[in-house]
Structure formats: C-alpha cells, structure tokens
Amino acid sequence: MRTVTRVSLAVALSAPLALCSLSNIGGAARSSDEWHGPPSGYNKPTPGHKLPPFYNPAQAEKAAAKLREAHAVHTEERRRRLETEESWLGTMGEAKDWCMPMTSWDEWRVQGWLRWSNHTRAADLLADQGVDGMVLASISTDDLRDVGLTLGEAHTLISGIQTAEIMAPSVHPSFDVCSQHFMQTMPLVVDFYLQKITSVNDMEYQWSGVFWYLETWLDDRQQYLPALSPQDMADCKEPVYMANACGDNLYEISETDMFWENAIEIETLKEFATVWMGTAFPGFEGLVQKGRLMSGTFSADFQFDKFPFDSQSLGISTYMGIPSATEIIPGMQGYFQPGNGVEDAPGWTVESLKISRKEKSNGDWFEPTPGHPLNGMEEGFEFAVIEVEVKRASNFYMLNLVLPIVLLTFLSWTSFMLEPDCIEARLATVMTIMLAMIAFQFIVNETMPKSGRATALHVFITVSYLQVVLSGVESLLVYWLFVHDLGSVKLLMAYFMGELDEKRAAGDPFRRRLSLRAPALVQVAPKADTA
C-alpha cells in the first residue's frame, strides 16, 4: 500500500527535467559526478550525443496515472488492514515523533524523551540545566553523576542515549518505521535508454550493449538526517541537496538488493553520485535519483524459424526485491536512432524498446520438491524487464548466400539446352555445379545459426540441391529415351508392356529420324543382291 502524495507522484516522474534546471541553482557543494539532467535537444536523437533523451511528457503522464491508481488502491487496502490495529497505529505514531536525530532536539523534546523512556529522576535533575539534544548526545557518565544521578542510573541513561535514534537509514524504507513507506510498497520508477547494441551473437545466444539505467524513488527519511559540520561534509560523497546532511548511509536499492538475472558480464562505465533532494524545494521533498552508464553481455532466447527474415527479443532482467516492499513502475524509455544510413547494431535494426514489471516465484526456476521448507513461501520476486525488439538485416544474407545459390541453380538448367545424346557434357555440367554448391555450403554454415530446427534458409538450400540433382536425373532419363527411340508416351507405355514391336509393326505414325550426329545408331538396310 502506498501513501505517496499527488505532488510526490509528479516529482518521481518529472525529476530528470527538474534536475536539469536545478543544476544551475547555488547551494551546497556538489560532486563533479552528480547527474545534471538531460542534454539540450533531448526530445529528438542527435548523432553522437552521449546522454539519453529522458523527458517525454506523454510517457510521464502515463506513468503518473499508474502511480495514482496504485496509490489509491493500496491506500484503501492499508486503511482496512490497520483499522483493527489501533494500538499499533498509536505506537507507530509515537515512534515517528522520535525519528529526528537527537542533536536536533530542543529542551522540551529532551524532557519528553527522558520521561517517555522512564528516566524520570534524570528529567527532574536536568530540567533547569538547559540540556538540549546536542548536549544530551555528548553528555558523559561523570556529568550525570555531578547532577545527582547514581552510577547505575548514569550508565543506564548513557545506554539509552546511544540507542535513542530509532531510524535505520540503511534498511529498505518499507521496513523502517520512520519512513512514509513503512509497512507498504515503495514505488520505484525505472528509466532506460539504449545507447548502442554492440553485438548480437546468435551462435552463442548472447548480445551486448551500452545503456543508461536510472532509478527514481522517494525517501522522506532525508529530513531526519543529522546536520553535519563543514569538516564532516568534506568527507561526504553524496550530500543532500542544499543541506548540511549526508546521504551516504541511506538505503539504495542498486547497492543492496539489485542483481542482473541474465547478465554474463556487467560493467559500470560511469556512475553518477546519487541525488538526494532533501526538503529544499517544494514538490521535490524526499526525491532520490541514481543514474549509471553501463555495458553488459546478456543471455537471450532466439527463434530461427524465419531466418534470415527473423526478429528477436533481446532482454535484460533485473531483480529489485520482493513485491511487498518494492513495486516497479515503468518509466521513460528510448533508444538511439543514428539515421543517415548508420546501422543500429551490426546486422540488426532496433524496432522497439519496452520496460515492464514481472513477478516471479520459486516455481519459475525449480520443480516443487515434497517436504522442501520453501514450498509454503508465497512471497515472490520483483523484476524489472527491458525488452529490445530487433530485426535482422536480411540484405547481407540475400546478397551473399541466397543470390549465389540461385545463380548456381539457374546455371544447372543450362544442361537442358544440350542435345539428348550429349550425356557426358550434361552430367559434367550438373556435377560441377553440385560440387560448387557443396563447397559453398561450408561457407554458409559459418554464418548460419546452429539451430536444431529447419529455418527458412535451410529449406531454400535443400530445395536448391534437389533441383540440381533433378537436372542430372533429367539428363539421364532423356538420354535413355533417346537411345531406346521412345519419343512419345504411347511408345513408352508399349515398351513397359512388351508391345513395342507390335506398335511399330502396325505402322505407328511416330518414327524418330536420327540425325547424322548419331550414325552408329542408324540401322541401314542391306543392299539387294544383283547377281
């Protein structure tokens, strides 16, 4: 269940654009690696630019509508579930009062905490001493004994002071009572921009690419971070914007819970310092954004039935936690479109890109085993899935594979133009072309995917082989008919039925006349004896 305000919903999706304008506002020192928003001209692809076009009003409004719907549904569910837990609601309300760091407490809050934590005698003795949170956090056992506490009372109070802050900044906001997402799901907006597909290896079922990966979420616990001195801020890697506070110890999902499910190799090329917006700007309270430029090699499933006219879905699957704690909200997505005849990827064209949320369970990976302790676990796993649809550039295969095979097949048909009795020349032509196609097959195999199923190109090559073989069979058949003087279907049928001599004796109208090129086959009648 989500208690995200309407203002915060707009913040989570308009953050990249806002950060661009905020980068010019003075304030606390910012890291040189901090994300400065999208480049100029972000709304259309620019050849060679290195930063992604993040902001898209239509996509932002669509994602905002999803957040509002999820917020309404889960808020109502949470209200019904907690109606029977009034005592817990009261306890949680009291606990959130003490989420502020002790060093920011005034005298009245110090007095309230001492009495709430059953240190009533200490509260009475310190009531007129002007003890605020800064003093209480640095007080010693000797100081407490000087005001009248016993040694045991002083040690007990010091132990309570050391554990007084209940906020756990390093845990997920859903599990921290100081967070607005406590006991409910935290929305996480994922933005993805594909910079370049560097290779698609369909032989090994892998693909590689360079991409921008951004996460945006809300963590209102920034308001509870203690104020630091300038010396301490000098060591801070991720300062809260325009505040003397440091976000180094706050929870980041990419540092704790995230892993890449189908990654073979993954590398962060550039990691920008996490942006903690704090409470400096209305409408941006609690905003957090993390951006990285990454490259990786991922496994993929390929289907080659239509090769080389196939399209493939290249995916990235990222684990983000459990559904009860984190809900993936698909954000803005895009891919670099080079134009000017430049290919998107070697031999491929990017058709579309989509971000989606997917929930998996143990049953998606393993077969149920009777008696296994995880059989009853209903909680699944939250994944952000990026799907890149690519289409193979078939021109390469048409020019280098299909066209040569077509020409060789046509060439085998030239044997039909030779005379029927030229059997040696006919068979030599067919055999030469067949050997050429077999040699060409070794080259073809290097460029075709190793699939157990017959692809469209496999079928085409097989049919071409059969046509060349049939050309040789046709030459043998024509020569056989020529030798046996079978020039019509009637004579052929009579030959097989043993009636050929009768047909010819009856004066069959068809009689083959042999040309002078086959004198050996001409039967010359003997001359009459004139003696």
Side-chain angles (χ1 to χ4, degrees):
M1 290 164 282
R2 303 146 180 90
T3 56
V4 183
T5 63
R6 181 171 296 181
V7 172
S8 299
L9 296 175
V11 170
L13 294 167
S14 61
L17 182 63
L19 293 179
C20 180
S21 59
L22 292 176
S23 63
N24 298 321
I25 300 177
R30 302 173 67 183
S31 167
S32 60
D33 287 343
E34 188 169 328
W35 181 255
H36 293 281
S40 59
Y42 57 85
N43 57 339
K44 52 186 176 182
T46 302
H49 90 61
K50 300 299 182 182
L51 299 180
F54 291 108
Y55 184 69
N56 185 310
Q59 292 177 343
E61 180 58 31
K62 185 177 180 180
K66 293 181 180 179
L67 273 174
R68 295 189 192 102
E69 181 181 354
H71 166 67
V73 171
H74 290 282
T75 299
E76 179 62 22
E77 290 179 359
R78 182 172 187 266
R79 185 190 64 78
R80 290 198 302 266
R81 181 165 64 89
L82 295 180
E83 279 180 349
T84 58
E85 301 178 12
E86 295 180 359
S87 60
W88 168 244
L89 285 174
T91 304
M92 185 175 67
E94 283 186 358
K96 292 203 70 170
D97 290 340
W98 303 104
C99 290
M100 297 293 295
M102 180 178 290
T103 53
S104 65
W105 294 356
D106 56 18
E107 296 180 29
W108 294 104
R109 186 171 289 273
V110 169
Q111 283 292 312
W113 178 79
L114 289 173
R115 299 181 187 281
W116 177 78
S117 57
N118 295 322
H119 296 288
T120 306
R121 187 164 180 269
D124 294 337
L125 294 174
L126 298 175
D128 300 327
Q129 302 295 324
V131 177
D132 58 11
M134 188 70 72
V135 174
L136 186 64
S138 60
I139 203 167
S140 65
T141 303
D142 294 336
D143 295 333
L144 294 175
R145 294 199 63 187
D146 289 342
V147 298
L149 292 180
T150 65
L151 182 61
E153 290 173 332
H155 280 303
T156 302
L157 180 55
I158 292 296
S159 298
I161 292 172
Q162 293 174 349
T163 58
E165 296 184 9
I166 66 172
M167 185 176 76
S170 61
V171 305
H172 193 288
S174 296
F175 308 128
D176 188 356
V177 69
C178 291
S179 170
Q180 67 175 358
H181 300 298
F182 180 59
M183 293 183 63
Q184 55 185 301
T185 304
M186 180 190 76
L188 176 70
V189 179
V190 175
D191 301 323
F192 185 89
Y193 180 81
L194 181 63
Q195 185 71 34
K196 186 70 175 177
I197 293 180
T198 55
S199 68
V200 179
N201 188 345
D202 51 11
M203 299 292 185
E204 299 182 4
Y205 293 80
Q206 299 175 7
W207 73 280
S208 303
V210 179
F211 55 90
W212 297 89
Y213 195 90
L214 285 95
E215 304 145 1
T216 305
W217 68 98
L218 297 175
D219 192 341
D220 63 325
R221 296 178 298 174
Q222 298 176 61
Q223 63 183 310
Y224 304 134
L225 293 174
L228 301 179
S229 64
Q231 292 79 8
D232 293 333
M233 286 298 298
D235 298 328
C236 180
K237 297 179 180 179
E238 298 176 355
V240 178
Y241 202 79
M242 295 188 70
N244 294 323
C246 185
D248 288 356
N249 295 326
L250 280 174
Y251 171 86
E252 294 183 33
I253 192 168
S254 59
E255 303 292 337
T256 308
D257 294 328
M258 188 175 77
F259 74 87
W260 307 82
E261 181 188 24
N262 64 326
I264 299 173
E265 293 181 357
I266 192 76
E267 178 184 2
T268 300
L269 303 178
K270 183 68 174 178
E271 181 171 358
F272 295 91
T274 306
V275 177
W276 304 92
M277 291 303 296
T279 58
F281 297 97
F284 290 86
E285 296 91 343
L287 178 69
V288 189
Q289 189 176 61
K290 183 73 173 181
R292 294 186 297 283
L293 174 64
M294 310 185 73
S295 68
T297 300
F298 304 90
S299 61
D301 297 325
F302 288 83
Q303 293 185 349
F304 301 110
D305 293 352
K306 298 180 180 180
F307 176 87
F309 307 103
D310 54 326
S311 296
Q312 304 293 344
S313 179
L314 310 178
I316 299 177
S317 182
T318 310
Y319 170 76
M320 292 292 190
I322 57 177
S324 62
T326 303
E327 181 186 15
I328 302 299
I329 304 295
M332 290 170 282
Q333 60 251 338
Y335 57 91
F336 183 61
Q337 301 177 5
N340 299 324
V342 180
E343 288 187 340
D344 298 331
W348 298 83
T349 301
V350 179
E351 296 287 308
S352 64
L353 187 147
K354 181 179 69 174
I355 305 175
S356 60
R357 168 187 175 270
K358 185 174 183 180
E359 185 175 337
K360 297 184 179 181
S361 64
N362 287 326
D364 294 320
W365 294 290
F366 309 105
E367 290 291 335
T369 302
H372 195 283
L374 295 180
N375 283 345
M377 190 179 77
E378 299 179 357
E379 186 72 89
F381 307 94
E382 187 82 359
F383 283 84
V385 179
I386 293 93
E387 295 177 297
V388 183
E389 295 292 333
V390 295
K391 184 177 182 180
R392 193 186 300 270
S394 58
N395 290 341
F396 171 83
Y397 299 92
M398 295 297 293
L399 293 175
N400 295 278
L401 299 182
V402 176
L403 182 59
I405 293 176
V406 169
L407 294 177
L408 288 173
T409 303
F410 284 165
L411 193 60
S412 69
W413 296 349
T414 59
S415 63
F416 301 155
M417 303 176 66
L418 299 176
E419 291 296 333
D421 56 325
C422 299
I423 186 62
E424 295 84 359
R426 279 180 167 238
L427 291 182
T429 301
V430 173
M431 292 301 295
T432 301
I433 294 174
M434 191 66 182
L435 291 175
M437 293 184 68
I438 292 174
F440 189 69
Q441 181 68 41
F442 290 103
I443 302 175
V444 172
N445 289 337
E446 296 297 324
T447 59
M448 292 181 64
K450 304 298 186 292
S451 173
R453 303 177 64 178
T455 67
L457 187 57
H458 284 105
V459 174
F460 168 76
I461 293 175
T462 302
V463 171
S464 300
Y465 278 136
L466 290 175
Q467 291 195 9
V468 174
V469 171
L470 288 176
S471 297
V473 173
E474 187 272 347
S475 296
L476 291 174
L477 178 61
V478 168
Y479 180 73
W480 183 82
L481 293 174
F482 180 83
V483 170
H484 290 83
D485 195 18
L486 301 175
S488 69
V489 176
K490 290 182 178 180
L491 291 176
L492 183 62
M493 294 295 296
Y495 174 84
F496 286 109
M497 295 176 65
E499 300 175 354
L500 181 60
D501 294 336
E502 296 178 4
K503 281 278 185 181
R504 287 176 175 170
D508 189 273
F510 181 82
R511 295 293 297 170
R512 184 169 61 87
R513 298 293 183 265
L514 299 178
S515 66
L516 296 177
R517 290 168 304 173
L521 298 177
V522 178
Q523 298 179 2
V524 181
K527 293 182 179 181
D529 190 1
T530 58

